[in-house]
Amino acid sequence: MTAPASPETTAVPAAPARPPMPSIHTRALITWLAIFPLVSIGMLALGPIMEPWHPVFRALLLTALVVPLAVYVVVPRLMAGHGHLSRKAVERAARKSA
């Protein structure tokens, strides 16, 4: 059988502190920052084409384009950027307190 490991051999280096999950308010703001420009650009780009359409069909097409683009592309990139900035802030605070 193997000998029990001593505390010195099982010590794991301390992982850097992780920033907390963004609050629901922060996530709502990030989502809004993704949706508003996409809707604005979509309305400007598609407005002339969709002008004679019924408003329900205009909304249907606009949301069919904006929602997947926001969910799969824009929001994840904004969340990643927020996470990067949060990690930098946590590291900076850890260095300052050390």
Side-chain angles (χ1 to χ4, degrees), residues 6-51:
S6 65
E8 294 89 26
T9 60
T10 59
V12 177
R18 296 186 69 183
M21 283 288 294
S23 72
I24 193 161
H25 306 297
T26 302
R27 290 185 308 220
L29 177 64
I30 288 172
T31 303
W32 182 83
L33 287 172
I35 296 291
F36 179 74
L38 291 174
V39 169
S40 299
I41 292 168
M43 288 175 63
L44 287 172
L46 298 174
I49 298 167
M50 299 186 308
E51 189 173 346

Side-chain angles (χ1 to χ4, degrees), residues 11 21 30-32 37-38 45 57-58 66 68 76-77 86 90 94:
M21 283 288 294
I30 288 172
T31 303
W32 182 83
L38 291 174
F57 294 127
R58 282 188 258 171
V66 167
R77 289 185 181 185
S86 296
V90 167

Side-chain angles (χ1 to χ4, degrees), residues 3-5 7 11 22 26 28 30 41-42 52 71-73 78 83 85 87 90 97-98:
T26 302
I30 288 172
I41 292 168
V71 169
Y72 295 115
V73 179
L78 289 174
L85 292 174
R87 279 190 297 280
V90 167
S97 67

